[in-house]
Amino acid sequence: MIKEADLSNFKVLMLYPNQRTVSLVPPSLALFSSLLKERNAEVKLFDTTFYRMDCEDSDKAREKNLTVHPVNEASLVIEYHNGNVFEDLCKVVEDFRPNIILATATDSTFPLALDLFKAVQKYKSQYHFLTLLGGVFATFAPERSISYPEIDIICVGEGEGPLIDLCDRLCKGESYDDIPNIWLKTKEGTIVKNKVRPPADISELPSPDFSIFDEKRLYRMMGGKVYKMLPIETHRGCPYMCTYCGSPTQNRFYLEQTSSKFYREKSLREVKEDLLFQIKKWKPTYIFFWADTFLAYSEEKIDEFCEFYSKIKIPFYCQARPETITESKIIKLKAVGLDRVGVGIEHGNEQYRSTVLKRYYKNSQVIECMEIVRKHGISFSLNNIIGLPDETPELAMDTVELNRSIKGFEDSSCSIFQPYYGTPLRALCVEKGYISPDLICPHNASDSLLNMPSFPKERISGLARTFSLYIRLPKDRWDEIKVAEKFTEEGNAMFEKLSQEVIEKFFVPESDL
């Protein structure tokens, strides 16, 4: 249970250091807002999404490489802020005068979060606020996170309970140096590292407060169409052990620290209540079920879900793994509104996929499962990664070949591997000398961060930008695509020519040609 408290007159400023214009609103911050407001705190959000940054939007990079449908920003009703993000944050601090400023960050958003904290340091002596960093970066790189002078406190692990405990202690003027999950600096400069509490019961948490976001942030482009989309949490964590992901470390961390499982399913009764509340409030046209793999639900849970969702029937999107797809589940979910599914393929070489990525399924199983989805008229996208440790260009082309074997996909993404803190593959990359132990993955790495003799950076970048061309155009065009891999004048011209051909053939409706 999250502690009851009276936080009247206590002010919390939350920062969302986001640099992707098409990303969904995060349920985590909305959930923190609900918990705080239930206890009478004042909450304000500073969201950087619509500020123009001096870096490429990763969503736009994916569009340029044609791994997703191009986005028409006008249809998204995006209104960029013309001001300076740091100056505008300072104005918010001057007006709101928070007691605590918190940010949640991943590796890629941490540098911006740190810059935001730096921008408000000049107000600390005047308003006496504390700065708190949470999220997976703080959890997996705690020593690194707490080392920055701009960060007073970090939350290691989940934040719902620790945040309320911390705000309650601060509100009462009490010591907060023994709160589980909290690390802090003493006046003497030492670090207090408190134990980790068991994970929260997600079925007991309140419905997220999306009102802290600009309503325009609820609109998202997907598959070339615009939807008013709400994220609804159904699972937290993942039962699988993929080495490029932080979930295995999260699972092991909570098991060792608390003898508890990190992976949890929210009760379907609570999912239903959350859905009905949010639908009534926001009137969405689309639902995204926030889960690493929604189809991890058993057949019995799928039946229970379909029973109540049959009365809602708003189109929805979910993510899945190939081995969780069955015809029975697809038929049932299609009948109640399943419109699109994103499926992680990740790599096309069976041996590499099983030994390095710890994903155990056959290519034939992938093809069969995606044919089930296609046959029942459900749109689907495929997710792939290249530039993985010890990968070669030949291995990466196996991923191209597997994608070519799958019929009917709408989008097929190609991400360049990022060695995030907390992932088992990061440790491998450090061990082999492919990256520096101190590397923090940037917001939008258009090039590989690994120095591998087996797969040079320029080849990884070239294949990433031409991936969609390789999987969509016939093989007798591959010599042209090989030219387009090169970042030369000739290569760039060929890439533009072939990209336009793919856009006209695969992305533009015939009525628009």
Side-chain angles (χ1 to χ4, degrees):
M1 289 289 292
I2 308 298
K3 181 179 182 179
E4 293 301 322
D6 183 5
L7 302 179
S8 298
N9 302 315
F10 192 83
K11 296 181 178 181
V12 180
L13 176 59
M14 298 193 294
L15 310 180
Y16 184 42
N18 182 44
Q19 294 164 274
R20 298 179 56 195
T21 54
V22 188
S23 61
L24 279 167
V25 294
S28 57
L29 292 178
L31 185 53
F32 293 159
S33 180
S34 285
L35 289 165
L36 290 164
K37 287 182 178 180
E38 282 184 345
R39 292 156 178 80
N40 304 314
E42 292 185 56
V43 179
K44 193 171 186 64
L45 173 71
F46 186 81
D47 182 358
T48 68
T49 299
F50 292 154
Y51 281 90
R52 298 184 186 276
M53 304 286 183
D54 293 329
C55 60
E56 186 176 18
D57 185 325
S58 56
D59 286 323
K60 296 188 190 311
R62 294 168 67 205
E63 295 165 32
K64 184 177 180 180
N65 292 347
L66 304 180
T67 57
V68 296
H69 274 64
V71 172
N72 179 353
E73 288 190 353
S75 63
L76 283 169
V77 201
I78 290 177
E79 293 181 6
Y80 283 104
H81 298 298
N82 294 321
N84 178 282
V85 64
F86 304 111
E87 292 175 358
D88 285 358
L89 173 59
C90 288
K91 292 175 185 175
V92 170
V93 171
E94 289 175 347
D95 293 339
F96 188 57
R97 301 189 179 187
N99 299 104
I100 189 168
I101 301 177
L102 69 88
T104 179
T106 63
D107 292 48
S108 60
T109 61
F110 173 72
L112 177 55
L114 184 62
D115 286 342
L116 293 170
F117 280 143
K118 287 179 178 178
V120 300
Q121 287 301 297
K122 60 186 177 182
Y123 297 105
K124 265 195 163 183
S125 60
Q126 183 178 359
Y127 300 131
H128 308 290
F129 57 77
L130 292 173
T131 54
L132 165 66
L133 180 76
V136 292
F137 187 77
T139 296
F140 293 138
E143 301 282 357
R144 185 81 180 271
S145 300
I146 198 70
S147 70
Y148 293 90
E150 296 82 9
I151 297 173
D152 300 315
I153 305 169
I154 65 169
C155 179
V156 177
E158 290 187 322
E160 291 92 350
L163 176 60
I164 297 304
D165 287 351
L166 177 63
C167 292
D168 183 47
R169 299 279 190 92
L170 291 172
C171 197
K172 294 175 178 176
E174 297 176 352
S175 171
Y176 51 88
D177 61 0
D178 62 344
I179 297 174
N181 293 50
I182 293 295
W183 287 25
L184 56 90
K185 300 167 186 172
T186 66
K187 292 180 180 179
E188 295 73 30
T190 59
I191 307 299
V192 176
K193 305 174 183 179
N194 289 302
K195 64 181 181 180
V196 176
R197 69 186 71 197
D201 184 346
I202 59 175
S203 295
E204 294 182 353
L205 298 176
S207 192
D209 171 30
F210 294 116
S211 69
I212 57 174
F213 292 93
D214 186 325
E215 189 170 352
K216 295 182 182 67
R217 289 280 284 107
L218 300 180
Y219 288 86
R220 188 188 181 197
M221 180 78 79
M222 190 170 68
K225 298 178 182 178
V226 179
Y227 302 95
K228 188 177 186 182
M229 188 180 301
L230 281 178
I232 301 294
E233 185 178 39
T234 58
H235 304 64
R236 189 174 295 187
C238 181
Y240 295 96
M241 301 299 287
C242 305
T243 55
Y244 54 84
C245 177
S247 285
T249 304
Q250 196 83 276
N251 292 336
R252 185 173 62 253
F253 174 78
Y254 268 92
L255 186 62
E256 293 173 352
Q257 297 289 324
T258 71
S259 300
S260 304
K261 291 184 178 180
F262 183 74
Y263 171 70
R264 289 144 290 164
E265 294 179 0
K266 192 171 185 177
S267 79
L268 286 170
R269 179 177 59 82
E270 294 299 323
V271 172
K272 176 184 177 181
E273 290 184 6
D274 191 17
L275 263 170
L276 294 176
F277 172 80
Q278 298 292 0
I279 289 169
K280 182 177 180 181
K281 184 175 178 65
W282 296 107
K283 298 177 175 54
T285 60
Y286 214 91
I287 301 294
F288 170 57
F289 285 110
W290 192 277
D292 287 343
T293 178
F294 182 79
L295 295 186
Y297 273 144
S298 65
E299 288 282 355
E300 292 75 19
K301 288 285 184 70
I302 293 290
D303 289 340
E304 185 181 347
F305 170 85
C306 290
E307 183 178 355
F308 77 75
Y309 205 81
S310 63
K311 300 176 180 64
I312 296 173
K313 280 199 171 180
I314 295 176
F316 68 90
Y317 165 79
C318 66
Q319 298 182 122
R321 291 170 59 103
E323 66 268 50
T324 64
I325 295 172
T326 66
E327 188 150 29
S328 173
K329 288 181 180 180
I330 292 299
I331 290 172
K332 293 171 185 176
L333 292 170
K334 166 72 173 179
V336 299
L338 176 59
D339 181 68
R340 183 182 176 97
V341 60
V343 180
I345 303 301
E346 313 311 357
H347 204 278
N349 183 279
E350 292 178 359
Q351 182 177 0
Y352 183 92
R353 193 169 60 226
S354 62
T355 57
V356 179
L357 305 186
K358 308 303 180 187
R359 290 177 71 96
Y360 307 105
Y361 44 80
K362 298 291 186 181
N363 284 353
S364 59
Q365 184 180 3
V366 175
I367 296 168
E368 290 169 7
C369 289
M370 300 322 302
E371 178 59 21
I372 290 172
V373 178
R374 186 197 68 81
K375 181 175 66 175
H376 291 284
I378 296 169
S379 297
F380 64 93
S381 55
L382 307 173
N383 301 321
N384 306 276
I385 307 173
I386 64 169
L388 290 149
D390 295 328
E391 190 181 29
T392 63
E394 293 74 26
L395 283 170
M397 289 306 292
D398 286 346
T399 304
V400 168
E401 293 286 8
L402 178 55
N403 278 254
R404 288 179 62 88
S405 299
I406 298 171
K407 297 178 181 179
F409 62 84
E410 192 167 74
D411 294 316
S412 184
S413 69
C414 176
S415 301
I416 295 176
F417 169 69
Q418 301 288 291
Y420 290 127
Y421 272 95
T423 61
L425 283 189
R426 179 187 174 90
L428 177 65
C429 291
V430 172
E431 177 187 334
K432 294 207 167 191
Y434 296 156
I435 62 170
S436 163
D438 296 327
L439 172 73
I440 296 178
C441 297
H443 157 64
N444 183 28
S446 56
D447 298 313
S448 173
L449 301 173
L450 278 59
N451 293 305
M452 294 190 298
S454 65
F455 204 169
K457 291 185 178 185
E458 62 272 16
R459 292 207 65 182
I460 295 172
S461 297
L463 179 55
R465 86 160 175 174
T466 56
F467 188 84
S468 185
L469 307 181
Y470 275 116
I471 66 176
R472 293 182 187 275
L473 294 176
K475 285 191 173 183
D476 61 13
R477 308 292 299 281
W478 278 19
D479 286 344
E480 295 173 80
I481 300 173
K482 193 69 177 176
V483 173
E485 286 188 43
K486 305 291 185 182
F487 292 88
T488 61
E489 184 175 347
E490 180 187 17
N492 293 338
M494 181 63 74
F495 175 70
E496 293 299 328
K497 172 193 170 185
L498 297 178
S499 293
Q500 189 58 40
E501 183 178 333
V502 168
I503 288 172
E504 292 177 357
K505 187 172 182 180
F506 296 100
F507 292 120
V508 181
E510 292 184 8
S511 59
D512 293 342
L513 292 177

